[in-house]
Amino acid sequence: MPKVTTRQLRKQTQQSANAAVNKPKTIGGGSGAPYPKSATGGSTAHPTNSGDDSSRHFGPMFNKALGQHILVNPLIAQGIVEKAGLKQTDVVLEVGPGTGNLTMKILEQAKRVVACEADMRLAAELVKRARNANYQNKLEVLHGDVMKRELPYFDVCISNTPYQISSPLTFKLLAHRPQCRCAVLMFQREFALKLVARPGDPLYSRLSANCQLYAKVTHVMKVGKNNFKPPPKVESSVVKIEPINPPPPINFDEWDGMLRIIFSRKHKTLQANFNTKVVLEMLENNYKTYCSENNLMLEENLDIKQKIFDVLESEGASKKRAQKMDLDEFLE
């Protein structure tokens, strides 16, 4: 994903302006609309009724397929920046800066901002705003999909996150090295509540356990739908994620594989979750592969079911249920 230069942005913006001259840019404007319509049935960051007249506005048309619901309340933007605890020496990664309402608040307090924006026209607007405020030397804009590139160095991540990349972005940030100090991220309310859910909560899930294994997660604030333009159908929340340093010495693939099994029916006992044909066949194949790769003798008349039950019983976990288990119990 190449770095975007001011010259490239100016050129593309000028070409777009020439093509759409004398045409009002409104939603539903046909071929004169400045953004392509998202494909029918495609995933959106904030599900919105495209037939709702309240979403009509003059100016740039926001692309729902890219999760473009711009935060317009300056008090919310200021609150997000304050919760990040920025220092004058910080490099901040911002995902999905949009037109720069949040970016301008960050530029006031940080040393440098690296903004990843998938939409070339919004990137052009962002560069223009930074130049008008004399912040152009503190801003670097990267054009393209943040999930398809290696992240640069950063101290703090702040993002009004496109909701369709909420989960992969969260774990991409947690896996980034060197670790960041914290990430303050806007998510759909339900997703945010899953991140902070504790054992016994209705929303406690594999996502909760995975995220809390690697970071301290706190709920910062609720954000109503009317704080965005165009407004989404769902409410939002801001969470603060502070990675644990050093990270736990866990093989994540093995850990996540275990959680997938025991959270597949989180209200059932662990013994019941492991006692299914599909799970038993998978574990038997994995065990045979492990023995082969490590030159270990395979037991005669292997009974993988009894072997699993013996392990669960020895740990006192056979009757436990994932929905009420904490991290320490999972790690055992």
Side-chain angles (χ1 to χ4, degrees):
M1 185 165 61
K3 177 179 177 180
V4 179
T5 64
T6 304
R7 179 175 297 178
Q8 291 173 327
L9 294 173
R10 288 176 179 172
K11 182 178 180 181
Q12 181 157 342
T13 302
Q14 184 61 44
Q15 290 174 345
S16 301
N18 292 339
V21 65
N22 295 329
K23 294 182 179 180
K25 298 177 177 57
T26 60
I27 292 178
S31 60
Y35 293 86
K37 294 183 179 180
S38 58
T40 301
S43 62
T44 62
H46 300 263
T48 309
N49 185 350
S50 60
D52 186 357
D53 288 340
S54 64
S55 65
R56 292 181 176 272
H57 62 280
F58 287 89
M61 187 183 85
F62 298 114
N63 190 335
K64 299 172 189 176
L66 296 178
Q68 291 176 353
H69 292 262
I70 307 302
L71 179 65
V72 294
N73 188 331
L75 295 179
I76 299 294
Q78 186 62 41
I80 291 173
V81 174
E82 289 176 356
K83 291 296 182 180
L86 296 181
K87 304 175 183 177
Q88 290 294 325
T89 56
D90 281 341
V91 175
V92 178
L93 173 70
E94 186 184 9
V95 179
T99 56
N101 294 338
L102 185 55
T103 314
M104 301 308 293
K105 301 288 186 182
I106 303 172
L107 286 168
E108 294 174 2
Q109 300 187 32
K111 176 183 178 181
R112 188 163 63 92
V113 175
V114 180
C116 296
E117 176 53 60
D119 192 308
M120 202 71 163
R121 292 176 180 175
L122 293 188
E125 175 67 18
L126 179 61
V127 170
K128 179 181 177 181
R129 289 189 65 178
R131 184 172 62 248
N132 291 341
N134 294 321
Y135 286 136
Q136 65 272 23
N137 294 330
K138 297 175 65 176
L139 177 67
E140 178 183 356
V141 179
L142 301 178
H143 177 249
D145 187 346
V146 68
M147 299 309 303
K148 296 180 180 179
R149 65 161 290 124
E150 183 177 349
L151 297 179
Y153 171 84
F154 62 95
D155 299 295
V156 176
C157 178
I158 298 177
S159 173
N160 175 17
T161 312
Y163 289 174
Q164 69 266 39
I165 65 168
S166 295
S167 184
L169 177 63
T170 298
F171 289 101
K172 187 179 183 73
L173 294 175
L174 290 174
H176 180 68
R177 298 294 181 270
Q179 289 179 303
C180 64
R181 187 170 73 249
C182 72
V184 181
L185 310 172
M186 179 95 71
F187 291 130
Q188 181 177 340
R189 178 76 51 80
E190 183 178 358
F191 182 87
L193 294 180
K194 285 182 179 181
L195 289 181
V196 302
R198 307 301 299 171
D201 292 345
L203 291 177
Y204 187 61
S205 64
R206 179 170 64 95
L207 174 66
S208 314
N210 275 335
C211 189
Q212 292 170 27
L213 175 69
Y214 290 97
K216 175 185 176 183
V217 190
T218 54
H219 187 275
V220 173
M221 69 176 82
K222 297 179 180 179
V223 183
K225 62 184 72 174
N226 292 329
N227 292 291
F228 299 92
K229 180 180 179 182
K233 279 190 173 181
V234 297
E235 302 292 333
S236 304
S237 280
V238 178
V239 299
K240 184 174 183 179
I241 299 175
E242 300 171 273
I244 296 172
N245 192 11
I250 301 294
N251 183 314
F252 180 77
D253 291 334
E254 293 181 0
W255 164 270
D256 187 54
M258 178 190 73
L259 292 188
R260 283 179 183 271
I261 294 173
I262 62 182
F263 272 105
S264 61
R265 298 179 297 172
K266 65 181 181 180
H267 297 290
K268 297 287 186 180
T269 63
L270 298 195
Q271 181 171 307
N273 282 332
F274 280 97
N275 189 24
T276 65
K277 182 178 179 180
V278 173
V279 171
L280 290 173
E281 288 179 351
M282 177 189 67
L283 293 178
E284 183 173 359
N285 291 332
N286 290 348
Y287 181 68
K288 289 178 178 179
T289 301
Y290 173 81
C291 291
S292 176
E293 291 178 346
N294 292 275
N295 297 318
L296 298 176
M297 290 294 294
L298 193 64
E299 300 97 317
E300 293 185 10
N301 301 320
L302 173 65
D303 186 346
I304 193 67
K305 177 178 177 179
Q306 188 59 48
K307 196 175 188 68
I308 293 171
F309 286 2
D310 289 344
V311 172
L312 292 175
E313 193 66 33
S314 66
E315 298 296 332
S318 59
K319 301 303 180 182
K320 291 183 178 180
R321 291 169 168 78
Q323 207 261 341
K324 295 184 178 180
M325 295 176 65
D326 59 24
L327 290 178
D328 291 335
E329 291 176 295
F330 289 135
L331 291 169
E332 291 175 358

